[in-house]
Amino acid sequence: MREPVELRRQRILAVVESRGAVKVSVLAAELEVSVVTVRRDIEELTRAGRLRRGHGVARAVGSVEEAAVPAARPSEPQAEGGAVALVVPERHSYLYEAAYGARPVLEAAGFRVALHIAPQAPGAERPLVERALEGGARGLLIAPRWRSAAAEEADYGWLAEVGVPTVLMERRPRPGSALHALDTVCSDHWYGVHLAVDHLVRLGHRRIVLAARDDSPTARSVRAAFARIAADRPEVTDWTTALSSPDAVPGPVPGSEADTPPSRGRNPLDLAGLLREHGATAALLHGDVDALMLVQGLAERGVRVPQDCSVVAYDDVVAALGSIPLTAVAPPKAEVGRAAAELLVHRLSRPVGTAVPVRRIELLPELKVRGSTQRPSDVQPAVPSDVLEGAPTELPSDGPIASSLAAPIPVQK
């Protein structure tokens, strides 16, 4: 039979008062319950003024080293144990920008930020979170890597049981999953892809290639959005998708012991050949590093950007730094982190048990037009170029473009 909550808390009080201070991990082991459960109990006992919290330690109210510290009011972050764990994948500059956006908000609210970098290994986030909680973290901002849908599902159970206020950044759990009712802040990647396709269509491009990754929630969102948008735009007469990099798929981490020679030996995408095969004049490339490498590959094959092929990158982390600055979709990375931190502070500022509505926030990306896009050479502008690059314009009501749109054209999927 499960031990009543109040009895367990009385046992915690007895142990702490007899010793003065006890580590949370030691209490969990002695009471044979999880660290998360003990932390929740200590949080409640602290708010009731019966214990004091430290970094991974519970202290008796009358202990000498704590006697001069006044009890924190329920509506204020506590001076001790006021850390927030911020967990992001290693080698992920996109999410590092989100982390930078979150930091000033948390520090301004009186919280210490504890950054944890998750290595490129399945399930790497869980032990980091558990150690952060043992160390006294009061809240969690996290962007799991989730290289595949299966990896995402595997994390749902333990993340739902963390026991502290948690906000997901750039991750949208499956509807109806254990994390469905978790606060989330994401970029609207459908809108980002729409901006890219709309820009290319307005320039006169009718055959477009997407070369994208398939190893993250963002990548999967971009691929799905492109398929829907391209299929729904009557101006797009042909479209296709391909992997932007040999390692752009879920599976073993390239270069690890689990990686196999066939995985490392896959040939890189022949983007020039793909463009030629489909008669495409434009490409949307995800993410930035892959985009810059593919543009280099095009130059080596004699394909000029933007004269022969317009290119739009997706992410805008380093897209502007190429020899040809790339037009790019720029998700509001720092704003995602800032909004996520504000959601977390909002929850932490309320007394434990206070009902706070779950919030899902979507922020719109923007398109940054640079030197990698222009009209196809065989399309004459219907309006002056300064208008074409500025305010939205309508397609001509007659002429070759309108004629080609009059007849239904099968869309390649």
PDB file of all heavy atoms in Angstrom, residues 36 40 133 156-164 179:
ATOM      1  N   VAL A  36      12.048  13.055  -7.400  1.00  0.00           N
ATOM      2  CA  VAL A  36      11.017  14.027  -7.769  1.00  0.00           C
ATOM      3  C   VAL A  36       9.955  14.124  -6.673  1.00  0.00           C
ATOM      4  O   VAL A  36       9.515  15.215  -6.297  1.00  0.00           O
ATOM      5  CB  VAL A  36      10.374  13.644  -9.114  1.00  0.00           C
ATOM      6  CG1 VAL A  36       9.143  14.502  -9.384  1.00  0.00           C
ATOM      7  CG2 VAL A  36      11.376  13.783 -10.248  1.00  0.00           C
ATOM      8  N   ARG A  40       9.134  17.432  -4.350  1.00  0.00           N
ATOM      9  CA  ARG A  40       7.796  18.012  -4.262  1.00  0.00           C
ATOM     10  C   ARG A  40       7.370  18.170  -2.796  1.00  0.00           C
ATOM     11  O   ARG A  40       6.796  19.186  -2.405  1.00  0.00           O
ATOM     12  CB  ARG A  40       6.808  17.127  -5.021  1.00  0.00           C
ATOM     13  CG  ARG A  40       5.432  17.754  -5.177  1.00  0.00           C
ATOM     14  CD  ARG A  40       4.464  16.824  -5.893  1.00  0.00           C
ATOM     15  NE  ARG A  40       4.917  16.529  -7.244  1.00  0.00           N
ATOM     16  CZ  ARG A  40       5.246  15.309  -7.660  1.00  0.00           C
ATOM     17  NH1 ARG A  40       5.207  14.281  -6.835  1.00  0.00           N
ATOM     18  NH2 ARG A  40       5.632  15.118  -8.908  1.00  0.00           N
ATOM     19  N   LEU A 133      17.505  18.307 -11.100  1.00  0.00           N
ATOM     20  CA  LEU A 133      16.482  18.290 -10.066  1.00  0.00           C
ATOM     21  C   LEU A 133      17.082  17.927  -8.710  1.00  0.00           C
ATOM     22  O   LEU A 133      16.718  18.501  -7.677  1.00  0.00           O
ATOM     23  CB  LEU A 133      15.370  17.313 -10.436  1.00  0.00           C
ATOM     24  CG  LEU A 133      14.552  17.667 -11.684  1.00  0.00           C
ATOM     25  CD1 LEU A 133      13.502  16.607 -11.950  1.00  0.00           C
ATOM     26  CD2 LEU A 133      13.909  19.033 -11.544  1.00  0.00           C
ATOM     27  N   TYR A 156       8.152  11.048 -23.647  1.00  0.00           N
ATOM     28  CA  TYR A 156       6.908  11.603 -23.128  1.00  0.00           C
ATOM     29  C   TYR A 156       6.662  11.225 -21.670  1.00  0.00           C
ATOM     30  O   TYR A 156       6.274  12.057 -20.854  1.00  0.00           O
ATOM     31  CB  TYR A 156       5.721  11.145 -23.978  1.00  0.00           C
ATOM     32  CG  TYR A 156       5.570  11.873 -25.292  1.00  0.00           C
ATOM     33  CD1 TYR A 156       4.631  11.464 -26.223  1.00  0.00           C
ATOM     34  CD2 TYR A 156       6.361  12.972 -25.608  1.00  0.00           C
ATOM     35  CE1 TYR A 156       4.468  12.125 -27.438  1.00  0.00           C
ATOM     36  CE2 TYR A 156       6.221  13.635 -26.810  1.00  0.00           C
ATOM     37  CZ  TYR A 156       5.266  13.205 -27.729  1.00  0.00           C
ATOM     38  OH  TYR A 156       5.112  13.867 -28.919  1.00  0.00           O
ATOM     39  N   GLY A 157       6.866   9.942 -21.343  1.00  0.00           N
ATOM     40  CA  GLY A 157       6.526   9.462 -20.007  1.00  0.00           C
ATOM     41  C   GLY A 157       7.297  10.148 -18.897  1.00  0.00           C
ATOM     42  O   GLY A 157       6.710  10.715 -17.968  1.00  0.00           O
ATOM     43  N   TRP A 158       8.634  10.156 -18.987  1.00  0.00           N
ATOM     44  CA  TRP A 158       9.422  10.719 -17.890  1.00  0.00           C
ATOM     45  C   TRP A 158       9.329  12.241 -17.838  1.00  0.00           C
ATOM     46  O   TRP A 158       9.334  12.830 -16.748  1.00  0.00           O
ATOM     47  CB  TRP A 158      10.882  10.262 -17.972  1.00  0.00           C
ATOM     48  CG  TRP A 158      11.699  10.851 -19.083  1.00  0.00           C
ATOM     49  CD1 TRP A 158      11.920  10.309 -20.304  1.00  0.00           C
ATOM     50  CD2 TRP A 158      12.423  12.088 -19.052  1.00  0.00           C
ATOM     51  NE1 TRP A 158      12.731  11.128 -21.057  1.00  0.00           N
ATOM     52  CE2 TRP A 158      13.052  12.227 -20.312  1.00  0.00           C
ATOM     53  CE3 TRP A 158      12.602  13.077 -18.097  1.00  0.00           C
ATOM     54  CZ2 TRP A 158      13.844  13.320 -20.632  1.00  0.00           C
ATOM     55  CZ3 TRP A 158      13.391  14.181 -18.413  1.00  0.00           C
ATOM     56  CH2 TRP A 158      14.004  14.293 -19.661  1.00  0.00           C
ATOM     57  N   LEU A 159       9.198  12.898 -18.998  1.00  0.00           N
ATOM     58  CA  LEU A 159       9.070  14.355 -18.987  1.00  0.00           C
ATOM     59  C   LEU A 159       7.756  14.787 -18.333  1.00  0.00           C
ATOM     60  O   LEU A 159       7.689  15.829 -17.672  1.00  0.00           O
ATOM     61  CB  LEU A 159       9.138  14.911 -20.410  1.00  0.00           C
ATOM     62  CG  LEU A 159      10.488  15.449 -20.875  1.00  0.00           C
ATOM     63  CD1 LEU A 159      10.422  15.895 -22.327  1.00  0.00           C
ATOM     64  CD2 LEU A 159      10.966  16.587 -19.993  1.00  0.00           C
ATOM     65  N   ALA A 160       6.712  13.970 -18.498  1.00  0.00           N
ATOM     66  CA  ALA A 160       5.428  14.308 -17.887  1.00  0.00           C
ATOM     67  C   ALA A 160       5.474  14.178 -16.369  1.00  0.00           C
ATOM     68  O   ALA A 160       4.616  14.729 -15.678  1.00  0.00           O
ATOM     69  CB  ALA A 160       4.334  13.406 -18.451  1.00  0.00           C
ATOM     70  N   GLU A 161       6.480  13.466 -15.849  1.00  0.00           N
ATOM     71  CA  GLU A 161       6.576  13.226 -14.408  1.00  0.00           C
ATOM     72  C   GLU A 161       7.721  14.011 -13.754  1.00  0.00           C
ATOM     73  O   GLU A 161       8.138  13.671 -12.647  1.00  0.00           O
ATOM     74  CB  GLU A 161       6.780  11.726 -14.156  1.00  0.00           C
ATOM     75  CG  GLU A 161       5.650  10.848 -14.666  1.00  0.00           C
ATOM     76  CD  GLU A 161       4.339  11.123 -13.949  1.00  0.00           C
ATOM     77  OE1 GLU A 161       4.402  11.492 -12.753  1.00  0.00           O
ATOM     78  OE2 GLU A 161       3.267  10.991 -14.565  1.00  0.00           O
ATOM     79  N   VAL A 162       8.218  15.022 -14.404  1.00  0.00           N
ATOM     80  CA  VAL A 162       9.354  15.781 -13.861  1.00  0.00           C
ATOM     81  C   VAL A 162       9.031  16.385 -12.498  1.00  0.00           C
ATOM     82  O   VAL A 162       9.882  16.428 -11.600  1.00  0.00           O
ATOM     83  CB  VAL A 162       9.783  16.871 -14.871  1.00  0.00           C
ATOM     84  CG1 VAL A 162      10.661  17.909 -14.204  1.00  0.00           C
ATOM     85  CG2 VAL A 162      10.543  16.234 -16.033  1.00  0.00           C
ATOM     86  N   GLY A 163       7.841  16.890 -12.339  1.00  0.00           N
ATOM     87  CA  GLY A 163       7.437  17.388 -11.031  1.00  0.00           C
ATOM     88  C   GLY A 163       7.724  18.851 -10.756  1.00  0.00           C
ATOM     89  O   GLY A 163       7.444  19.348  -9.662  1.00  0.00           O
ATOM     90  N   VAL A 164       8.318  19.567 -11.722  1.00  0.00           N
ATOM     91  CA  VAL A 164       8.525  21.006 -11.581  1.00  0.00           C
ATOM     92  C   VAL A 164       7.955  21.679 -12.827  1.00  0.00           C
ATOM     93  O   VAL A 164       7.807  21.042 -13.875  1.00  0.00           O
ATOM     94  CB  VAL A 164      10.030  21.359 -11.427  1.00  0.00           C
ATOM     95  CG1 VAL A 164      10.600  20.745 -10.168  1.00  0.00           C
ATOM     96  CG2 VAL A 164      10.821  20.931 -12.664  1.00  0.00           C
ATOM     97  N   LEU A 179       2.367  14.808 -22.931  1.00  0.00           N
ATOM     98  CA  LEU A 179       2.870  16.182 -22.846  1.00  0.00           C
ATOM     99  C   LEU A 179       1.944  17.189 -23.522  1.00  0.00           C
ATOM    100  O   LEU A 179       2.313  18.348 -23.699  1.00  0.00           O
ATOM    101  CB  LEU A 179       4.264  16.266 -23.479  1.00  0.00           C
ATOM    102  CG  LEU A 179       5.357  15.412 -22.845  1.00  0.00           C
ATOM    103  CD1 LEU A 179       6.703  15.693 -23.510  1.00  0.00           C
ATOM    104  CD2 LEU A 179       5.454  15.657 -21.351  1.00  0.00           C
TER     105      LEU A 179
END
